[in-house]
Amino acid sequence: MSGTSLDGADAALVEFSGAHPRTLAFATVPFPAGLRDRILALSEPGSDSLELAGRVSLELAELYARAVEGALAAGGAERTAVTAIGCHGQTVRHRPDLGFTIQINDAARLAELTAIDVVADFRRRDRAAGGPGAPLAPAFHEAMFRHPAASRCVVNIGGISNVTWLPARRHALGFDCGPGNVLLDGWTRRHLGSDYDEGGRWARQGRTDTGLLGRLMAEPFLAKAPPKSTGRELFRMAWLEERLDHNVRPEDVQSTLTDFTARSIVDAIDRFCPATDEIYLAGGGARNDLLVERIESLAGGRPVAATDALGVPTAHVESMAFAWLAMKCVKREPIDLTAVTGARHARVLGAVYPA
Protein backbone atom coordinates (compact mmCIF):
# COMPACT_ATOMS: atom_id res chain seq x y z
CA MET A 1 0.00 0.00 0.00
CA SER A 2 1.18 3.50 -0.81
CA GLY A 3 -1.16 6.34 0.07
CA THR A 4 -1.78 10.02 -0.46
CA SER A 5 0.79 10.96 2.18
CA LEU A 6 3.58 9.72 -0.16
CA ASP A 7 5.79 8.47 2.67
CA GLY A 8 6.58 5.05 1.22
CA ALA A 9 5.37 1.59 0.27
CA ASP A 10 4.12 -0.67 3.07
CA ALA A 11 3.93 -4.46 2.81
CA ALA A 12 2.18 -6.71 5.33
CA LEU A 13 2.49 -10.49 5.26
CA VAL A 14 -0.94 -11.64 6.44
CA GLU A 15 -2.27 -15.11 7.28
CA PHE A 16 -6.00 -15.83 6.91
CA SER A 17 -6.17 -19.51 7.88
CA GLY A 18 -7.33 -18.87 11.46
CA ALA A 19 -10.46 -17.31 12.91
CA HIS A 20 -8.92 -13.83 12.61
CA PRO A 21 -6.37 -12.44 10.15
CA ARG A 22 -2.92 -12.00 11.61
CA THR A 23 0.08 -10.04 10.40
CA LEU A 24 3.21 -12.21 10.34
CA ALA A 25 5.58 -9.47 9.21
CA PHE A 26 5.66 -5.89 7.98
CA ALA A 27 8.10 -3.84 5.91
CA THR A 28 8.29 -0.25 4.66
CA VAL A 29 10.36 1.13 1.80
CA PRO A 30 10.52 4.95 1.83
CA PHE A 31 9.90 6.87 -1.39
CA PRO A 32 13.07 8.33 -2.88
CA ALA A 33 12.71 12.11 -3.10
CA GLY A 34 12.74 12.08 -6.91
CA LEU A 35 9.90 9.57 -7.12
CA ARG A 36 7.86 11.54 -4.59
CA ASP A 37 8.33 14.69 -6.67
CA ARG A 38 7.27 12.90 -9.86
CA ILE A 39 4.10 11.56 -8.18
CA LEU A 40 3.29 15.03 -6.88
CA ALA A 41 3.70 16.37 -10.44
CA LEU A 42 1.26 13.75 -11.74
CA SER A 43 -1.18 14.61 -8.96
CA GLU A 44 -1.38 18.28 -9.96
CA PRO A 45 -4.14 19.05 -12.48
CA GLY A 46 -2.72 20.36 -15.74
CA SER A 47 0.70 18.73 -15.40
CA ASP A 48 -0.14 15.33 -16.90
CA SER A 49 2.44 13.44 -18.96
CA LEU A 50 1.91 9.95 -20.37
CA GLU A 51 5.66 9.34 -20.45
CA LEU A 52 6.01 10.42 -16.82
CA ALA A 53 3.10 8.17 -15.82
CA GLY A 54 4.78 5.22 -17.54
CA ARG A 55 8.08 5.87 -15.81
CA VAL A 56 6.43 6.21 -12.41
CA SER A 57 4.51 2.94 -12.93
CA LEU A 58 7.79 1.08 -13.45
CA GLU A 59 9.48 2.76 -10.48
CA LEU A 60 6.53 1.94 -8.23
CA ALA A 61 6.49 -1.73 -9.30
CA GLU A 62 10.16 -2.02 -8.35
CA LEU A 63 9.54 -0.23 -5.04
CA TYR A 64 6.57 -2.48 -4.25
CA ALA A 65 8.69 -5.54 -5.07
CA ARG A 66 11.33 -4.37 -2.57
CA ALA A 67 8.61 -3.95 0.08
CA VAL A 68 7.32 -7.48 -0.62
CA GLU A 69 10.84 -8.92 -0.36
CA GLY A 70 11.30 -7.04 2.91
CA ALA A 71 8.11 -8.48 4.40
CA LEU A 72 9.02 -12.02 3.26
CA ALA A 73 12.47 -11.71 4.79
CA ALA A 74 11.08 -10.24 8.04
CA GLY A 75 8.57 -13.07 8.31
CA GLY A 76 10.96 -15.85 7.26
CA ALA A 77 8.42 -16.88 4.63
CA GLU A 78 9.00 -18.58 1.28
CA ARG A 79 7.34 -16.88 -1.69
CA THR A 80 5.74 -20.22 -2.62
CA ALA A 81 3.70 -19.99 0.60
CA VAL A 82 2.10 -16.70 -0.48
CA THR A 83 -1.19 -16.98 -2.38
CA ALA A 84 -1.23 -13.43 -3.75
CA ILE A 85 -0.07 -9.85 -3.35
CA GLY A 86 -2.80 -7.23 -2.99
CA CYS A 87 -1.50 -3.98 -4.49
CA HIS A 88 -3.58 -0.80 -4.42
CA GLY A 89 -1.20 1.32 -6.53
CA GLN A 90 -0.60 5.06 -6.14
CA THR A 91 -3.60 7.33 -6.63
CA VAL A 92 -2.69 10.28 -8.87
CA ARG A 93 -6.17 11.42 -9.85
CA HIS A 94 -9.51 10.77 -8.16
CA ARG A 95 -12.45 12.36 -9.99
CA PRO A 96 -15.68 10.57 -9.05
CA ASP A 97 -17.49 13.68 -10.29
CA LEU A 98 -16.22 12.82 -13.78
CA GLY A 99 -16.60 9.06 -13.38
CA PHE A 100 -12.99 7.93 -13.05
CA THR A 101 -10.18 7.22 -10.62
CA ILE A 102 -6.54 6.51 -11.58
CA GLN A 103 -4.00 4.48 -9.62
CA ILE A 104 -0.50 4.28 -11.12
CA ASN A 105 0.99 0.78 -10.96
CA ASP A 106 2.45 -1.98 -13.15
CA ALA A 107 0.92 -5.08 -11.62
CA ALA A 108 2.24 -7.38 -14.35
CA ARG A 109 5.79 -6.21 -13.69
CA LEU A 110 5.28 -6.68 -9.93
CA ALA A 111 4.15 -10.27 -10.59
CA GLU A 112 7.22 -10.80 -12.78
CA LEU A 113 9.60 -9.36 -10.21
CA THR A 114 8.20 -11.32 -7.25
CA ALA A 115 7.02 -14.54 -8.96
CA ILE A 116 3.77 -14.21 -6.98
CA ASP A 117 0.25 -13.62 -8.30
CA VAL A 118 -0.81 -9.97 -7.93
CA VAL A 119 -4.32 -8.64 -7.33
CA ALA A 120 -4.65 -4.99 -8.31
CA ASP A 121 -7.07 -2.41 -9.74
CA PHE A 122 -9.51 -2.64 -6.84
CA ARG A 123 -11.22 0.71 -7.26
CA ARG A 124 -12.49 0.61 -10.81
CA ARG A 125 -15.00 -2.22 -10.29
CA ASP A 126 -16.67 -0.24 -7.51
CA ARG A 127 -16.65 2.77 -9.86
CA ALA A 128 -18.29 0.65 -12.58
CA ALA A 129 -20.96 -0.47 -10.09
CA GLY A 130 -21.92 3.12 -9.36
CA GLY A 131 -19.60 3.96 -6.46
CA PRO A 132 -16.80 6.53 -6.40
CA GLY A 133 -14.15 3.81 -6.03
CA ALA A 134 -13.23 4.83 -2.47
CA PRO A 135 -12.93 4.34 0.40
CA LEU A 136 -12.49 0.55 0.28
CA ALA A 137 -10.93 -0.10 3.70
CA PRO A 138 -14.25 0.15 5.65
CA ALA A 139 -15.15 -3.39 4.54
CA PHE A 140 -11.97 -4.65 6.19
CA HIS A 141 -12.54 -2.45 9.24
CA GLU A 142 -15.96 -4.05 9.67
CA ALA A 143 -14.54 -7.56 9.43
CA MET A 144 -11.69 -6.78 11.82
CA PHE A 145 -12.88 -4.22 14.36
CA ARG A 146 -16.65 -4.58 14.86
CA HIS A 147 -17.82 -5.06 18.47
CA PRO A 148 -21.19 -6.67 19.31
CA ALA A 149 -22.13 -4.08 21.93
CA ALA A 150 -20.01 -0.93 21.43
CA SER A 151 -20.43 1.48 18.51
CA ARG A 152 -16.98 2.32 17.17
CA CYS A 153 -15.44 4.73 14.70
CA VAL A 154 -12.19 3.77 13.03
CA VAL A 155 -10.41 6.79 11.54
CA ASN A 156 -7.56 6.31 9.10
CA ILE A 157 -5.51 9.51 8.97
CA GLY A 158 -3.42 9.23 5.84
CA GLY A 159 -3.06 12.03 3.32
CA ILE A 160 -6.87 12.15 3.42
CA SER A 161 -8.83 11.12 6.51
CA ASN A 162 -11.58 8.54 6.25
CA VAL A 163 -14.03 7.35 8.86
CA THR A 164 -15.59 3.91 9.27
CA TRP A 165 -18.59 3.84 11.57
CA LEU A 166 -19.29 0.42 13.11
CA PRO A 167 -22.59 0.74 14.97
CA ALA A 168 -23.39 -2.21 17.18
CA ARG A 169 -26.66 -3.04 15.43
CA ARG A 170 -26.39 -1.61 11.90
CA HIS A 171 -24.33 -2.00 8.76
CA ALA A 172 -21.05 -0.10 8.60
CA LEU A 173 -20.80 3.34 7.05
CA GLY A 174 -17.53 4.63 5.62
CA PHE A 175 -16.51 7.86 3.92
CA ASP A 176 -13.69 10.35 3.40
CA CYS A 177 -14.15 13.21 5.85
CA GLY A 178 -11.47 15.70 4.77
CA PRO A 179 -7.72 16.24 4.85
CA GLY A 180 -5.48 14.14 7.04
CA ASN A 181 -1.78 14.87 6.58
CA VAL A 182 -1.88 16.28 3.06
CA LEU A 183 -2.00 19.98 4.00
CA LEU A 184 0.09 19.55 7.16
CA ASP A 185 2.85 17.81 5.19
CA GLY A 186 2.67 20.23 2.27
CA TRP A 187 2.99 23.28 4.53
CA THR A 188 5.87 21.68 6.47
CA ARG A 189 7.66 20.81 3.24
CA ARG A 190 7.31 24.37 2.00
CA HIS A 191 8.62 26.09 5.14
CA LEU A 192 10.93 23.56 6.82
CA GLY A 193 12.01 21.38 3.91
CA SER A 194 10.94 18.30 5.93
CA ASP A 195 8.51 15.66 4.75
CA TYR A 196 6.30 16.04 7.83
CA ASP A 197 5.97 17.79 11.19
CA GLU A 198 7.12 15.00 13.49
CA GLY A 199 4.81 14.68 16.47
CA GLY A 200 3.33 18.10 15.68
CA ARG A 201 6.37 19.81 17.25
CA TRP A 202 6.40 22.74 14.85
CA ALA A 203 2.64 23.24 15.20
CA ARG A 204 3.11 23.47 18.98
CA GLN A 205 5.20 26.60 18.42
CA GLY A 206 2.23 28.36 16.82
CA ARG A 207 -1.23 29.54 17.81
CA THR A 208 -4.40 28.68 15.96
CA ASP A 209 -5.86 31.52 13.89
CA THR A 210 -9.63 31.29 14.45
CA GLY A 211 -10.44 33.34 11.35
CA LEU A 212 -8.44 31.02 9.10
CA LEU A 213 -9.90 27.98 10.84
CA GLY A 214 -13.41 29.27 10.14
CA ARG A 215 -12.63 29.76 6.46
CA LEU A 216 -11.21 26.25 6.21
CA MET A 217 -14.21 24.71 7.99
CA ALA A 218 -16.57 26.45 5.54
CA GLU A 219 -15.50 24.04 2.77
CA PRO A 220 -18.79 22.53 1.40
CA PHE A 221 -17.32 19.01 1.13
CA LEU A 222 -17.21 18.73 4.92
CA ALA A 223 -20.99 19.14 5.24
CA LYS A 224 -21.84 16.86 2.33
CA ALA A 225 -23.57 13.65 3.41
CA PRO A 226 -21.95 10.27 2.65
CA PRO A 227 -21.22 8.47 0.42
CA LYS A 228 -18.35 10.76 -0.48
CA SER A 229 -14.64 10.65 -1.23
CA THR A 230 -11.98 13.22 -2.01
CA GLY A 231 -8.25 13.69 -2.61
CA ARG A 232 -5.50 16.11 -3.57
CA GLU A 233 -7.71 17.40 -6.37
CA LEU A 234 -9.58 19.40 -3.69
CA PHE A 235 -7.34 19.62 -0.63
CA ARG A 236 -4.09 20.92 -2.12
CA MET A 237 -1.84 23.88 -1.45
CA ALA A 238 -3.66 26.12 -3.93
CA TRP A 239 -6.90 25.49 -1.98
CA LEU A 240 -5.17 26.55 1.25
CA GLU A 241 -3.59 29.64 -0.32
CA GLU A 242 -7.00 30.90 -1.47
CA ARG A 243 -8.04 31.06 2.20
CA LEU A 244 -4.83 32.37 3.75
CA ASP A 245 -4.27 35.76 5.28
CA HIS A 246 -0.59 36.20 4.45
CA ASN A 247 0.01 38.08 7.70
CA VAL A 248 -0.34 34.80 9.62
CA ARG A 249 2.96 33.28 10.78
CA PRO A 250 3.82 29.91 9.19
CA GLU A 251 3.81 28.11 12.55
CA ASP A 252 0.36 29.59 13.30
CA VAL A 253 -0.88 28.19 9.98
CA GLN A 254 0.50 24.77 10.96
CA SER A 255 -1.30 24.91 14.31
CA THR A 256 -4.49 25.95 12.51
CA LEU A 257 -4.16 23.09 10.02
CA THR A 258 -3.74 20.66 12.91
CA ASP A 259 -6.97 21.96 14.45
CA PHE A 260 -8.66 21.83 11.04
CA THR A 261 -7.79 18.15 10.57
CA ALA A 262 -8.90 17.28 14.11
CA ARG A 263 -12.13 19.27 13.89
CA SER A 264 -13.11 17.91 10.46
CA ILE A 265 -12.70 14.36 11.81
CA VAL A 266 -14.68 14.86 15.02
CA ASP A 267 -17.35 16.98 13.30
CA ALA A 268 -17.85 14.18 10.76
CA ILE A 269 -18.27 11.65 13.56
CA ASP A 270 -20.73 13.88 15.41
CA ARG A 271 -22.70 14.65 12.26
CA PHE A 272 -22.83 11.29 10.48
CA CYS A 273 -21.98 8.66 13.13
CA PRO A 274 -24.43 9.22 16.02
CA ALA A 275 -23.99 7.50 19.37
CA THR A 276 -20.35 6.59 18.77
CA ASP A 277 -18.88 5.10 21.95
CA GLU A 278 -15.21 4.69 21.00
CA ILE A 279 -12.81 6.23 18.47
CA TYR A 280 -9.77 4.39 17.12
CA LEU A 281 -7.05 5.98 15.01
CA ALA A 282 -4.79 4.49 12.32
CA GLY A 283 -2.42 5.80 9.66
CA GLY A 284 0.47 8.25 9.91
CA GLY A 285 -1.67 10.91 11.60
CA ALA A 286 -2.17 8.61 14.59
CA ARG A 287 1.54 9.17 15.32
CA ASN A 288 1.16 12.97 15.40
CA ASP A 289 0.92 13.53 19.16
CA LEU A 290 -0.51 17.04 18.89
CA LEU A 291 -3.15 16.00 16.37
CA VAL A 292 -4.22 13.12 18.63
CA GLU A 293 -4.41 15.49 21.62
CA ARG A 294 -6.65 17.86 19.69
CA ILE A 295 -8.92 15.02 18.56
CA GLU A 296 -9.18 13.91 22.20
CA SER A 297 -10.04 17.44 23.32
CA LEU A 298 -12.94 17.54 20.84
CA ALA A 299 -14.18 13.99 21.45
CA GLY A 300 -16.43 14.93 24.37
CA GLY A 301 -15.11 12.32 26.78
CA ARG A 302 -15.29 9.43 24.33
CA PRO A 303 -12.14 7.28 24.58
CA VAL A 304 -9.65 7.80 21.73
CA ALA A 305 -6.99 5.15 21.12
CA ALA A 306 -4.77 3.76 18.38
CA THR A 307 -5.85 0.56 16.61
CA ASP A 308 -2.95 -1.09 18.43
CA ALA A 309 -5.45 -1.46 21.28
CA LEU A 310 -7.53 -3.68 18.96
CA GLY A 311 -4.55 -5.83 17.98
CA VAL A 312 -3.48 -4.13 14.73
CA PRO A 313 -0.64 -1.55 14.75
CA THR A 314 -1.63 1.76 13.18
CA ALA A 315 0.98 1.47 10.43
CA HIS A 316 -0.27 -1.98 9.37
CA VAL A 317 -3.98 -1.32 8.92
CA GLU A 318 -4.07 -0.20 5.28
CA SER A 319 -1.64 -2.74 3.85
CA MET A 320 -3.39 -5.48 5.83
CA ALA A 321 -6.69 -4.29 4.34
CA PHE A 322 -5.42 -4.83 0.81
CA ALA A 323 -4.10 -8.28 1.68
CA TRP A 324 -7.66 -9.02 2.88
CA LEU A 325 -9.20 -7.57 -0.30
CA ALA A 326 -6.81 -9.68 -2.38
CA MET A 327 -7.84 -12.78 -0.43
CA LYS A 328 -11.51 -11.97 -1.12
CA CYS A 329 -10.77 -11.53 -4.83
CA VAL A 330 -8.87 -14.82 -5.10
CA LYS A 331 -11.81 -16.59 -3.42
CA ARG A 332 -14.24 -14.69 -5.71
CA GLU A 333 -16.09 -13.37 -2.66
CA PRO A 334 -17.95 -10.11 -3.36
CA ILE A 335 -17.45 -7.08 -1.12
CA ASP A 336 -20.61 -5.23 -0.09
CA LEU A 337 -19.89 -1.49 -0.22
CA THR A 338 -23.45 -0.38 -0.90
CA ALA A 339 -23.62 1.53 2.41
CA VAL A 340 -20.09 2.92 2.00
CA THR A 341 -19.61 3.98 -1.61
CA GLY A 342 -23.20 3.74 -2.84
CA ALA A 343 -22.33 0.99 -5.33
CA ARG A 344 -25.45 -0.71 -6.65
CA HIS A 345 -24.47 -4.25 -5.63
CA ALA A 346 -21.77 -6.23 -3.87
CA ARG A 347 -18.95 -6.96 -6.32
CA VAL A 348 -15.70 -8.92 -6.49
CA LEU A 349 -13.04 -6.20 -6.46
CA GLY A 350 -9.69 -6.48 -8.19
CA ALA A 351 -8.02 -8.03 -11.22
CA VAL A 352 -5.57 -10.95 -11.03
CA TYR A 353 -2.16 -10.82 -12.73
CA PRO A 354 -0.69 -14.35 -12.62
CA ALA A 355 2.98 -14.81 -11.80
Side-chain angles (χ1 to χ4, degrees):
M1 177 65 192
S2 60
T4 317
S5 55
L6 302 180
D7 48 2
D10 297 333
L13 181 63
V14 185
E15 184 177 21
F16 294 101
S17 59
H20 300 285
R22 113 189 140 94
T23 302
L24 303 180
F26 182 80
T28 296
V29 178
F31 278 160
L35 177 57
R36 182 186 297 110
D37 291 343
R38 287 187 282 278
I39 293 171
L40 284 169
L42 282 170
S43 301
E44 280 294 316
S47 61
D48 298 68
S49 162
L50 291 177
E51 183 175 334
L52 182 57
R55 287 173 55 201
V56 169
S57 295
L58 296 176
E59 289 182 84
L60 281 170
E62 292 172 6
L63 194 80
Y64 294 151
R66 287 169 54 200
V68 168
E69 298 294 346
L72 291 175
E78 297 293 332
R79 69 188 64 250
T80 53
V82 178
T83 302
I85 297 165
C87 186
H88 173 270
Q90 180 65 49
T91 300
V92 294
R93 197 61 49 85
H94 183 58
R95 293 300 302 272
D97 54 317
L98 298 179
F100 71 87
T101 183
I102 298 174
Q103 286 69 49
I104 295 290
N105 187 17
D106 190 332
R109 185 173 182 82
L110 180 58
E112 186 70 23
L113 289 170
T114 59
I116 301 171
D117 289 358
V118 173
V119 183
D121 200 14
F122 292 95
R123 288 193 181 198
R124 283 201 287 186
R125 189 56 192 270
D126 180 78
R127 178 68 260 178
L136 302 181
F140 170 71
H141 295 163
E142 179 164 27
M144 198 70 186
F145 300 132
R146 177 177 283 283
H147 189 278
S151 293
R152 292 172 167 171
C153 272
V154 179
V155 186
N156 183 70
I157 312 174
I160 299 297
S161 295
N162 57 69
V163 173
T164 300
W165 183 39
L166 302 171
R169 296 175 183 83
R170 281 181 51 188
H171 288 301
L173 176 69
F175 56 96
D176 288 350
C177 64
N181 303 312
V182 62
L183 298 175
L184 289 165
D185 292 351
W187 192 251
T188 300
R189 195 171 295 120
R190 174 179 294 184
H191 290 275
L192 300 184
S194 305
D195 291 331
Y196 58 92
D197 179 14
E198 185 171 358
R201 293 174 188 168
W202 185 41
R204 284 189 192 278
Q205 299 174 24
R207 298 179 63 182
T208 293
D209 184 288
T210 56
L212 174 58
L213 180 60
R215 292 191 294 276
L216 299 178
M217 290 300 301
E219 165 57 46
F221 175 84
L222 303 180
K224 181 182 176 184
K228 60 179 179 175
S229 61
T230 189
R232 288 183 181 270
E233 295 75 23
L234 175 59
F235 293 109
R236 53 199 181 101
M237 296 308 291
W239 179 90
L240 172 60
E241 287 160 0
E242 290 171 359
R243 292 155 177 80
L244 274 180
D245 177 346
H246 291 282
N247 293 322
V248 182
R249 297 184 307 158
E251 58 268 38
D252 292 343
V253 174
Q254 188 73 357
S255 176
T256 306
L257 290 173
T258 305
D259 268 328
F260 176 46
T261 296
R263 191 171 295 278
S264 62
I265 289 169
V266 178
D267 279 8
I269 292 171
D270 291 341
R271 189 182 306 219
F272 303 117
C273 311
T276 293
D277 301 313
E278 304 167 349
I279 299 171
Y280 293 92
L281 307 179
R287 298 190 294 275
N288 182 325
D289 296 335
L290 180 61
L291 177 59
V292 172
E293 288 171 20
R294 293 189 177 176
I295 291 171
E296 289 172 335
S297 72
L298 296 167
R302 290 166 293 192
V304 177
T307 54
D308 301 59
L310 301 178
V312 182
T314 59
H316 298 190
V317 173
E318 280 203 290
S319 50
M320 193 174 182
F322 282 92
W324 182 83
L325 286 166
M327 179 268 292
K328 291 291 188 178
C329 179
V330 167
K331 290 185 173 184
R332 297 298 185 269
E333 294 180 2
I335 304 295
D336 186 357
L337 292 171
T338 53
V340 175
T341 67
R344 289 183 290 272
H345 305 284
R347 288 286 182 263
V348 176
L349 303 182
V352 179
Y353 292 76

